[in-house]
C-alpha cells in the first residue's frame, strides 16, 4: 500500500528562500533515485513553514530512504531549519 511521508519544517527567520529552494532541489535529485519513490511535492505555507510531501510505494521504502538520507544534505537543511520543531509523519490514503 502506498505511503505518504509528510514533513513539516520551520525555517529560521534569517533563512534565505533561495537557499531553501537550492537544498530542496538537491534533495529532489537524490530522492527520485530511491527505490519506491513515486512523487514529491514541496509547499510553502507562509511564516517560514514548509511542507514536504513524498509518495512512496510502501512505508518500508520511505523509512529505508530516510535512513539513507545524505549527511551533507542534512547539514545544509539543519542550517536553514529549526530541526527541534520538524515533524515527520507517515500515513496511508483513506478511500472516501
Amino acid at each position: 500500500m502506498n505511503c505518504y511521508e509528510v514533513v513539516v519544517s520551520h525555517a529560521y527567520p534569517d533563512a534565505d528562500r533561495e537557499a531553501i529552494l537550492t537544498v530542496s532541489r538537491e534533495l529532489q535529485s537524490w530522492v527520485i533515485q530511491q527505490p519506491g519513490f513515486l512523487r514529491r511535492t514541496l509547499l510553502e505555507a507562509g511564516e517560514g513553514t514548509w511542507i514536504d510531501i513524498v509518495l512512496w510505494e510502501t512505508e518500508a521504502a520511505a523509512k529505508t530512504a530516510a535512513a539513507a538520507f545524505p549527511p551533507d544534505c542534512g547539514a545544509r537543511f539543519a542550517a536553514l531549519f529549526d530541526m527541534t520543531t520538524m515533524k515527520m509523519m507517515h500515513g496511508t490514503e483513506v478511500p472516501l
Side-chain angles (χ1 to χ4, degrees):
M1 182 174 291
N2 289 352
C3 173
Y4 285 86
E5 178 177 79
V6 179
V7 181
V8 179
S9 304
H10 302 279
Y12 288 118
D14 62 345
D16 179 68
R17 184 177 187 276
E18 286 307 311
I20 290 170
L21 293 175
T22 296
V23 74
S24 294
R25 288 181 188 112
E26 291 172 15
L27 174 59
Q28 180 73 11
S29 296
W30 175 81
V31 77
I32 63 174
Q33 298 174 38
Q34 301 312 299
F37 171 82
L38 297 174
R39 179 178 64 236
R40 176 174 179 240
T41 302
L42 180 65
L43 306 173
E44 187 174 7
E47 297 183 16
T49 300
W50 294 78
I51 303 168
D52 208 340
I53 303 169
V54 184
L55 180 60
W56 297 95
E57 288 178 358
T58 63
E59 187 172 349
K63 290 183 175 182
T64 297
F69 192 76
D72 58 325
C73 191
R76 287 192 294 282
F77 264 98
L80 297 166
F81 292 95
D82 181 353
M83 302 307 280
T84 66
T85 64
M86 186 187 87
K87 299 220 184 287
M88 178 184 286
M89 299 156 268
H90 294 95
T92 56
E93 190 171 343
V94 177
L96 298 175

